[in-house]
Amino acid sequence: MRTLGRLHLITDTRPGRDTLAVVAAALRAGFDVVQVRPEDHVTDREAYDLTVRILAMCRELDRICLVNDRLHIALAAGADGGHVGADDLPVAAARRILGPHAILGATARNPETARQAVADGASYLGVGPAFATTTKAGLPDAIGPAGVGAVAAAVPVPIVAIGGVTAQNARQLYSAGAHAVAVVGAVSGAADPYTAAKEFLA
Ligand SMILES: Cc1ncc(COP(=O)(O)OP(=O)(O)O)c(N)n1
Ligand SMILES: Cc1ncsc1CCOP(=O)(O)O
Ligand SMILES: [Mg+2]
């Protein structure tokens, strides 16, 4: 299995965002992983087409491409793996579908669910919201760097901190034990996504 990079871009398919241009900018800036996360209203066909295009961009630069929720699209496109949360397939079922070698991320917010997800086959954990965010509605309160650190201390797999991550606060999450951060708005919502992505490399 390939080493998971430390900067993950999650796609933003909300109206007004130029999804592919943002992905290109983030990859050029040095982001290691792109997670394709189509909004729920995006059809499977559209999500598949988007994944194929983003996967080609990732392959060109030898970067990792994951697909959120829709594991059939990850498999059909030949992506490196997928990510599941509480409303998606259970982790063990996702592992059966993706096979033993794919990268499989699972959402966990506390040590107990984290340990279970790893036992069920998760190869990394997405942990958050680390900080307040408006990108996804209905989330519980932010757990902060301490909450991220508590999960990191409980499991042997890489922790990807998510939620309200900026170039300014990312350091706190790495210091708390996160292996990586996952970012939507701080890059996608920036006037200049390339410069915004570069700030994470600094
Ligand atoms: C790296 C990472 N961490 C967490 C999530 C959230 O997944 P989930 O809880 O299933 O919510 P949705 O993203 O599906 O709305 C993630 N996608 N990536
Ligand atoms: C999908 C998801 N899950 C927890 S926070 C989040 C969205 C993160 O977006 P942003 O980086 O804009 O806060
Ligand atoms: Mg999900």
Side-chain angles (χ1 to χ4, degrees), residues 10 37 109 128-129 132-136 139 162-165 182-186:
I10 299 190
R37 180 175 178 267
R109 303 202 164 91
T133 179
T134 55
T135 301
K136 180 175 161 83
L139 286 168
I162 185 171
V165 181
V183 182
V184 184

Side-chain angles (χ1 to χ4, degrees), residues 10 35 37 68-69 83-85 88 107 124 126 136 160 162 182:
I10 299 190
Q35 181 192 124
R37 180 175 178 267
N68 187 45
D69 297 348
H83 185 99
V84 293
D88 309 312
T107 302
Y124 78 86
K136 180 175 161 83
V160 182
I162 185 171

Side-chain angles (χ1 to χ4, degrees), residues 94-167:
R95 175 53 77 197
R96 281 197 297 278
I97 285 186
L98 289 180
H101 303 301
I103 297 170
L104 173 59
T107 302
R109 303 202 164 91
N110 57 59
E112 194 185 340
T113 52
R115 283 188 207 100
Q116 188 62 54
V118 173
D120 288 345
S123 42
Y124 78 86
L125 298 178
V127 179
F131 300 105
T133 179
T134 55
T135 301
K136 180 175 161 83
L139 286 168
D141 289 345
I143 61 174
V148 172
V151 175
V155 290
V157 300
I159 299 304
V160 182
I162 185 171
V165 181
T166 64

Side-chain angles (χ1 to χ4, degrees), residues 7-8 15 25-26 36 39 49-50 55 67 71 77 87 98 113 132 135 154 160 187-188 199:
L7 287 171
H8 297 214
V36 184
E39 297 284 290
D49 290 345
L50 181 68
L55 181 60
V67 179
L71 302 183
D87 294 336
L98 289 180
T113 52
T135 301
V160 182
V187 173
S188 163
E199 282 171 16

Side-chain angles (χ1 to χ4, degrees), residues 4-5 7 9 39 53 62 110 121 152-153 168 195:
L4 198 66
L7 287 171
L9 179 83
E39 297 284 290
R53 293 181 74 171
D62 198 24
N110 57 59
Q168 288 70 43
T195 303

